[in-house]
Amino acid sequence: MSGLTAKSDGGYVVVNTSPNQANPVRVYYLDSKCKVTRTVSYPASPRDPEDLAVASDGTVWVADTGDPSTNKADRRATIALWKVPAGGGTPIIHRLSYPDGAHDARALLFGPDDVPIIVTKEAGGTAQIYEPSAPLQPRTAQGVPLKNVGSWQPKRTGTANFLGAAGQILVTGAAQSPDRKRVVLRTYSDAYEWDVPDGDVVKAITTGKPRITPLTGEAQGEGIAYTADGKSFLTCASQNGPSKILRYQPVSAAAAQVPAAAGSTGNKADNRPWYQKLSLPQIINIVAGVGVLGLVLVVAGVIGIRRSRKARRNAVDEGPSSQPGKGAQASVSGTGGQAGVPGKGSGGQGPAPAGAPVPADPRSPGRATIAPHAEQQRQGRATAAPADGRRPGRATVAPHAEQQRQGRGAVPPASPQRGGPAQPGRGGGGGGGNVYGGGRPQSGYDQRGGRQEYAQPGYRPEYDGDGRYFSERI
């Protein structure tokens, strides 16, 4: 049931909005025990009946004003008021049209001279109030234009209802007291009552201060009416299956001014668990929020994994590259002239004599040049030992076989990394020395000139920050 009014004989008149096989869309007359005594059919299918109101002459009017569709193509061009004759008969349609587009309306009142007043149900909370701009005309196709005469906004009272906070600001029904001195608008959660001393309903709603009566816990409550004596509210719910008519005692003017803590009939504490207070829209929002959060976490995880893999690939790509002497043999070749040592002249022709120092590089006097092994073999020059696997990028020069046989030492090449002077091996027929030292102090040739000494055991020339391998003395 979506609309309700009380009769003077104790019965009720109700309308439904959703057709089904048991209860087609009609006007139903009930006795005091809610038993159907008669029904009135419409001459044409109504669109969406939502409320009932009684004119000053006792005529019942049906507000066929519902328009909940969000599809613009399905919105209504006109709404309708059906007049139901008091003595029975066929309802008569009176069409109306909004000046500013379609609205969903659930509340109907009558002002002075029985001018209909329509109050809309707005999702934003501010209800709009409309009146016809001209007298009603029966059975018109275009409808009488409406005009906006005011607005009103319900409060977020916190009263429990099936829609939660949203249901507290949606207007779903209206009624007038039998003496027309009071009017009431309801939401899904509360009833707002105003005094109308001069009969101006719009003025009372838009400028007056209402008394709020909680309608706690109703299942989609939409209809409201006064009892025949005007002392109580009657409400009904728009739901499938049986619907009860509920009775409430309105908050009096004196009680409305007393704080709720002093014992007034204000909102009762809702002691239900928080999850039972959630409305359907709130549950949908929570589920959607969890879904969005999960999607964000998945995307963040994928991005993190890809970045981690890319960083590992870059670390591998930036590892040790090919360096001289690594994993291959190298030979020493001389191309320059003399550098203060015995040997051949410029051109480096012929193999180096046994025990002779390697000719210097003319591009860098006093330094040896590492040449590919194959080229050195072709030229017959001394060969270097394989690279030291413990020290990537360093070549360790070993004595030539002939020099080993004769017991002579070989002069090692300069470090290809540091560019310092060549380090002589251990002399005295000791079979050659280690390029990194470790022998006793002994004189040797220095291709840069002068004499030099061997380093002490454990000396590592690559840690010598001044670029020189050994101390010199003149």
Side-chain angles (χ1 to χ4, degrees):
M1 296 186 293
S2 58
L4 169 70
T5 187
K7 298 192 300 179
S8 58
D9 61 1
Y12 311 97
V13 182
V14 299
V15 291
N16 63 338
T17 186
S18 300
N20 55 59
Q21 294 181 353
N23 298 295
V25 179
R26 293 179 181 176
V27 181
Y28 293 86
Y29 288 81
L30 312 177
D31 61 17
S32 58
K33 297 181 180 180
C34 295
K35 182 180 179 180
V36 177
T37 58
R38 70 184 180 102
T39 62
V40 176
S41 300
Y42 299 95
S45 297
R47 183 74 175 265
D48 190 0
E50 291 292 349
D51 202 8
L52 283 174
V54 180
S56 57
D57 61 358
T59 303
V60 175
W61 289 76
V62 179
D64 183 5
T65 56
D67 191 10
S69 177
T70 57
N71 187 352
K72 186 176 180 180
D74 295 335
R75 300 305 296 267
R76 303 177 64 166
T78 61
I79 58 174
L81 300 179
W82 295 87
K83 181 180 180 180
V84 182
T90 302
I92 302 171
I93 190 171
H94 299 73
R95 292 186 175 89
L96 302 164
S97 61
Y98 290 106
D100 53 357
H103 292 272
D104 185 17
R106 309 293 178 97
L108 175 63
L109 295 167
F110 282 105
D113 301 324
D114 287 338
V115 175
I117 299 171
I118 297 171
V119 184
T120 65
K121 173 187 176 183
E122 304 291 346
T126 302
Q128 302 299 317
I129 304 173
Y130 293 90
E131 289 182 350
S133 59
L136 296 179
Q137 299 293 329
R139 304 183 182 90
T140 58
Q142 294 182 347
V144 175
L146 292 167
K147 61 181 180 181
N148 189 300
V149 294
S151 62
W152 172 71
Q153 185 170 7
K155 297 180 179 180
R156 295 188 183 273
T157 60
T159 304
N161 66 94
F162 85 109
L163 283 181
Q168 298 165 13
I169 59 174
L170 301 174
V171 177
T172 62
Q176 288 175 287
S177 63
D179 61 3
R180 300 196 174 250
K181 295 294 181 68
R182 288 168 293 153
V183 295
V184 62
L185 292 176
R186 73 157 297 168
T187 64
Y188 285 116
S189 60
D190 303 275
Y192 296 78
E193 186 182 36
W194 291 266
D195 292 326
V196 189
D198 57 0
D200 190 340
V201 175
V202 175
K203 178 182 176 181
I205 294 174
T206 57
T207 63
K209 183 177 180 180
R211 299 177 292 275
I212 304 175
T213 301
L215 309 175
T216 305
E218 287 196 4
Q220 197 171 344
E222 294 194 358
I224 191 167
Y226 283 93
T227 56
D229 59 9
K231 295 181 179 180
S232 302
F233 294 143
L234 302 173
T235 66
C236 64
S238 179
Q239 63 185 40
N240 294 327
S243 178
K244 296 180 179 180
I245 296 177
L246 305 177
R247 183 187 296 262
Y248 293 88
Q249 183 66 38
V251 172
S252 64
Q257 298 177 2
V258 178
S264 68
T265 56
N267 295 347
K268 295 181 180 180
D270 190 353
N271 296 321
R272 295 178 299 166
W274 65 269
Y275 54 85
Q276 293 184 359
K277 300 178 184 179
L278 295 175
S279 63
L280 180 59
Q282 291 173 326
I283 295 174
I284 293 175
N285 290 338
I286 292 174
V287 173
V290 172
V292 171
L293 178 60
L295 179 61
V296 170
L297 294 177
V298 170
V299 172
V302 171
I303 293 175
I305 292 173
R306 295 187 64 181
R307 288 183 175 178
S308 176
R309 291 178 177 175
K310 184 176 180 180
R312 289 198 297 269
R313 288 197 299 268
N314 291 341
V316 172
D317 294 342
E318 295 174 0
S321 59
S322 298
Q323 299 177 0
K326 182 177 180 181
Q329 288 184 333
S331 298
V332 180
S333 63
T335 59
Q338 294 181 350
V341 296
K344 276 292 201 179
S346 62
Q349 299 178 358
V358 179
D361 187 346
R363 297 169 297 177
S364 179
R367 288 169 172 74
T369 303
I370 303 299
H373 179 65
E375 180 65 16
Q376 294 170 340
Q377 285 184 335
R378 185 179 64 81
Q379 296 178 1
R381 297 194 175 107
T383 59
D388 187 352
R390 296 168 301 172
R391 300 181 180 278
R394 300 289 195 276
T396 303
V397 178
H400 192 274
E402 179 65 20
Q403 294 170 335
Q404 284 183 338
R405 187 179 63 82
Q406 297 178 4
R408 295 193 178 116
V411 179
S415 169
Q417 295 289 330
R418 299 294 297 271
Q423 180 179 350
R426 298 177 62 180
N434 191 318
V435 72
Y436 291 119
R440 63 184 179 276
Q442 184 173 344
S443 300
Y445 283 102
D446 185 352
Q447 293 186 6
R448 295 178 301 174
R451 302 179 66 82
Q452 63 185 19
E453 293 181 346
Y454 284 108
Q456 295 300 319
Y459 178 76
R460 294 293 180 265
E462 63 268 31
Y463 295 107
D464 186 5
D466 62 359
R468 301 175 62 182
Y469 282 26
F470 306 103
S471 60
E472 296 182 0
R473 61 184 180 184
I474 305 296

